[in-house]
Amino acid sequence: MSKATHLDLPIRFGTVGSPASSPANKGSIGGIMRMRELNLSALELAWVQSVRVSDETCAAIKAAGEEYNIALSVHAPYYINLNAETEEMWQAGRERLLAAARAGSKAGATDIIFHPGSYMKKLPTEAFAIATVRLREVAATVQKEKLGVTLRPETMGKSASLGTLEDAVLWSKEFENVLPCVDFAHLHARAGDGTFNTYAEFTEALNTVKAGLGERGIKHMHIHFSGIAYTAKGEKNHLNLADADINYKDLFKALADAGAAGRVLSETPNMEEDAVLMQSTYQRSHKKAIK
Ligand SMILES: [Zn+2]
């Protein structure tokens, strides 16, 4: 029997954006090559300011992803708010999200991650209702255009933001091309009091995914992870795993024990080194879980 490699694991690991150690002047393709070099197998293209990528570049990214066996996703621009106050502002955000989905599809990405927005002084339930109507239309457009991508509303780290785990699961139940992007660091920061940082709490969150979405959810996880600084109101900034209170060993144990599959993308300042650390930590827990 040949030795098990990182590609045999149910979870692929990578970074959000091409790390600084990627080959120079090669953009996303350099990031793809760097992931392969580090024995990682996923990359999220950080199109977070705007989507400005030619069809030619998209085709080259897609070819590189296939050649190096790196699973691709796209982080859509930050300036999207499903609860935008004016129709004009919503239309601008909608165009950014659709631009990410259209170009991402051409670049071989399977998942489009976006920040769902903020409450804008509305009640969370009101904001959620407005967001749901708008997301329904975008999800239908993505389907009609046959883009073949999953829209992933991200769980957010500030208590004034749309994007609790429950929000993301509810949308995913309702729309077949929507699934959560679970940012475990954000959920820890969102709590604001140091909670959401134990094996039991991580397992409870995974059970929420299982209960709401079954295999479609737990076997197709898309996870963002980092250390994180926070106040009572939530996220301040991302930290390296070694510099933060985040209980990452228990997270990877919980993922292994829950039989979760999918991708984990590192978002720490030292993103590529921490992605390697996340993968090796998970690999040990996975080995124990399948014994
Ligand atoms: Zn994000």
Side-chain angles (χ1 to χ4, degrees):
M1 217 175 87
S2 63
K3 201 172 169 290
T5 76
H6 65 288
L7 291 170
D8 300 320
L9 292 171
I11 298 181
R12 286 175 174 253
F13 288 81
T15 61
V16 177
S18 300
S21 61
S22 305
N25 306 320
K26 286 201 158 77
S28 298
I29 292 168
I32 289 170
M33 294 165 74
R34 185 64 180 139
M35 291 303 108
R36 185 70 200 90
E37 213 167 58
L38 291 166
N39 279 332
L40 297 168
S41 54
L43 178 69
E44 189 158 308
L45 310 172
W47 295 346
V48 296
Q49 302 304 332
S50 64
V51 180
R52 257 185 269 158
V53 52
S54 66
D55 283 2
E56 204 182 344
T57 302
C58 286
I61 294 171
K62 182 176 181 176
E66 284 166 3
E67 182 183 347
Y68 293 95
N69 191 4
I70 304 298
L72 300 175
S73 51
V74 164
H75 197 307
Y78 293 136
Y79 312 103
I80 292 168
N81 186 355
L82 292 174
N83 181 40
E85 279 175 309
T86 68
E87 186 57 24
E88 199 185 347
M89 281 160 74
W90 160 237
Q91 285 305 326
R94 175 186 179 274
E95 279 311 311
R96 292 185 186 105
L97 181 51
L98 284 171
R102 288 172 185 137
S105 174
K106 287 180 191 157
T110 50
D111 298 84
I112 312 298
I113 289 69
F114 68 99
H115 297 177
S118 49
Y119 295 138
M120 314 296 290
K121 295 181 184 139
K122 288 200 182 69
L123 287 173
T125 48
E126 285 178 298
F128 180 83
I130 292 167
T132 302
V133 171
R134 289 171 170 170
L135 183 56
R136 175 178 298 121
E137 187 275 323
V138 174
T141 302
V142 164
Q143 210 142 31
K144 200 169 70 199
E145 294 185 15
K146 298 190 168 64
L147 300 181
V149 294
T150 300
L151 296 172
R152 299 265 188 177
E154 180 176 334
T155 62
M156 299 307 295
K158 292 198 174 96
S159 53
S161 300
L162 266 164
T164 62
L165 180 60
E166 289 69 25
D167 292 343
V169 168
L170 280 172
W171 286 324
S172 306
K173 268 172 107 157
E174 194 166 335
F175 311 124
E176 68 179 80
N177 55 352
V178 172
L179 280 174
C181 170
V182 185
D183 189 317
F184 280 90
H186 280 169
L187 292 175
H188 173 48
R190 186 176 186 113
D193 58 0
T195 60
F196 198 82
N197 201 22
T198 61
Y199 179 83
E201 288 164 311
F202 298 143
T203 299
E204 198 185 314
L206 295 170
N207 285 340
T208 299
V209 172
K210 275 186 189 170
L213 306 170
E215 297 271 290
R216 181 170 88 88
I218 203 71
K219 296 297 184 195
H220 301 95
M221 297 290 289
H222 195 98
I223 293 168
H224 283 177
F225 194 53
S226 66
I228 198 154
Y230 53 89
T231 66
K233 286 184 177 168
E235 171 178 14
K236 258 173 66 190
N237 54 278
H238 290 192
L239 297 171
N240 292 325
L241 292 184
D243 303 331
D245 69 352
I246 197 92
N247 189 356
Y248 67 92
K249 289 182 184 158
D250 275 358
L251 172 64
F252 291 110
K253 184 170 168 11
L255 287 168
D257 291 348
R263 296 177 208 172
V264 172
L265 288 312
S266 165
E267 285 192 310
T268 74
N270 238 335
M271 55 171 105
E272 69 274 49
E273 282 173 39
D274 273 338
V276 170
L277 173 60
M278 290 175 197
Q279 180 168 263
S280 60
T281 306
Y282 168 71
Q283 196 158 17
R284 279 192 294 276
S285 289
H286 175 65
K287 231 180 188 169
K288 281 186 201 152
I290 58 171
K291 252 186 195 159

